[in-house]
Amino acid sequence: MTAPATHDLPVVVIGAGPVGLAAAARLLERQLTPLVLESGPAAASAVRDWSHVRLFSPWGEVTDPAAEKLLAPTGWIRPDAAAYPTGGDWAELYLQPLADALGDHVRYGATVTGVSRAGRDRIVDADRDSQPFVVHLTTADGHEERLFARAVIDASGTWSVPSPIGADGLPALGEKTAADHISYRVPDLKDPAVRARYAGKRTAVVGSGASAFTALATLADLAKEDEGTRAIWILRRGISGSTYGGGEADELPARGALGLAAKAAVDNGYADAVTGFRTESVERDADGRLVLVAEDGRRLDPVDEVVVLTGFRPDLSFLSELRLGLDERLQAPTALAPLIDPNVHSCGTVYPHGVNELSHPEQGVYLVGMKSYGRAPTFLAMTGYEQVRSIAAGLAGDQEAAERVELTLPDTGVCGGAGLFDEPENAEQSGGGCCAAPSTLQIGIGAPVTATGGC
């Protein structure tokens, strides 16, 4: 089959999540044809997996302007900009309606298995840039297809590849064989089956971020109703003044409340903290319970369940035939990595960026959204919307607009993250998003976002 002329082809967008759907809206705004390929049966499949979790960000900070324009003629009612959605709210009240408005531009049950240049593997130079992209996919019924594209925007996120329990970045010995008692998601204790899994059990929670705080707080609530429930909080480092976040002084009040709830779980005896514990192996005792063993030889008392919340990483396997320029540490685009390095930056100090920072040696391919940040946890939803605005402008040939970064952020940035499941008031009292009321910033290339606090 001969590849068609590149200019007649759609721009393939991988993933119908928040940033992927925003990319499609931005492409249509530029009179370009998007084709969104979503592996799940509906829009925002990954978001639906954490539908019980409340965002730190209000509605006004998690919708894209081009998407809102596309939704307006459908009778869509914009949610209260100051209210805080759960993941389920985000999916049902905004993302699915947006996908519906995009109509045939979105295909479900389409899992991308490979992307390359037509007739060129990654080692072939000859006439490479003039060839269209070829995208291989598998449908829900197992049928294989290939499509051609003028450009590829990968907005597939990192949700499908959670980081393991092993402190060296690899699965701990025995981790895979103990998979029936290990979860990599914040448990939804409203689900009776999930609740039964943890009620009256000893659960180890591994991680030190907002997701771990959420798990500890909800397990503590369960322990108040079921005295047999106990959490063991495993930290690879020690406990310091910043372990629980800023507490009442946190510029993100919803996050501060969550940190305080996790601290209360420990202080009130619902959870025991184990510090400096870097897991090397997972063993089973005679009763089939799990025993975590540290690199220094320490062995914890047996637990029934383990919840691993140590972050996520990008799946790059289906992009192996493309020439990507990725930072060796973060697995983010080379030019973007130093701007988002979590060793240096919080979400509030991430520099604005667009098509230039997201480009690769392979022209016409872009990693956007959470996937563009690789292993860095400081991604902001509005940053992803700005990324795809810039890329759509670049693909349309409007380089001036592509390089003119237009970023709307609260004072200290907006972090992704989990709020308490059943306590929206913790967020509602924050007085304007994760941080302060949004203000529009017109920022030149490479200028920093001024921040007064972290994420």
Side-chain angles (χ1 to χ4, degrees), residues 263-280:
K263 186 176 187 299
V266 175
D267 291 346
N268 295 331
Y270 297 117
D272 296 320
V274 179
T275 60
F277 194 97
R278 305 179 70 80
T279 307
E280 179 181 80

Side-chain angles (χ1 to χ4, degrees), residues 223-391:
K224 295 172 186 176
E225 302 174 14
D226 188 316
E227 293 182 359
T229 303
R230 188 78 176 182
I232 312 300
W233 185 22
I234 299 176
L235 298 114
R236 293 171 179 169
R237 300 179 181 177
I239 292 180
S240 67
S242 62
T243 297
Y244 298 103
E248 294 180 355
D250 200 316
E251 294 196 36
L252 307 180
R255 183 187 63 181
L258 185 57
L260 290 174
K263 186 176 187 299
V266 175
D267 291 346
N268 295 331
Y270 297 117
D272 296 320
V274 179
T275 60
F277 194 97
R278 305 179 70 80
T279 307
E280 179 181 80
S281 63
V282 182
E283 302 177 357
R284 288 187 186 266
D285 69 4
D287 297 323
R289 302 175 81 196
L290 303 184
V291 177
L292 303 186
V293 182
E295 293 176 344
D296 60 10
R298 279 184 293 165
R299 303 170 64 87
L300 297 185
D301 290 338
V303 296
D304 301 288
E305 301 288 338
V306 179
V307 177
V308 182
L309 301 168
T310 53
F312 297 88
R313 54 188 62 177
D315 177 8
L316 301 168
S317 61
F318 59 88
L319 304 176
S320 62
E321 290 306 312
L322 296 177
R323 298 175 177 181
L324 301 181
L326 298 175
D327 179 74
E328 62 185 11
R329 295 174 303 139
L330 297 183
Q331 295 179 296
T334 305
L336 176 61
L339 309 183
I340 62 172
D341 185 348
N343 294 300
V344 179
H345 296 286
S346 71
C347 63
T349 60
V350 168
Y351 289 65
H353 57 275
V355 66
N356 290 337
E357 292 82 3
L358 296 169
S359 294
H360 293 273
E362 191 82 69
Q363 297 180 25
V365 62
Y366 303 95
L367 277 58
V368 300
M370 192 69 209
K371 191 161 187 176
S372 71
Y373 273 43
R375 299 192 184 199
T378 50
F379 176 71
L380 352 162
M382 287 192 294
T383 296
Y385 298 153
E386 171 60 15
Q387 288 178 342
V388 295
R389 183 210 62 79
S390 174
I391 289 168

Side-chain angles (χ1 to χ4, degrees), residues 39-59:
S39 61
S45 294
V47 174
R48 293 174 192 272
D49 279 350
W50 49 271
S51 60
H52 55 295
V53 176
R54 191 171 301 280
L55 280 69
F56 286 145
S57 309
W59 274 112

Side-chain angles (χ1 to χ4, degrees), residues 193-204:
V194 176
R195 188 180 184 85
R197 177 174 177 175
Y198 296 97
K201 307 289 180 62
R202 280 173 56 87
T203 299

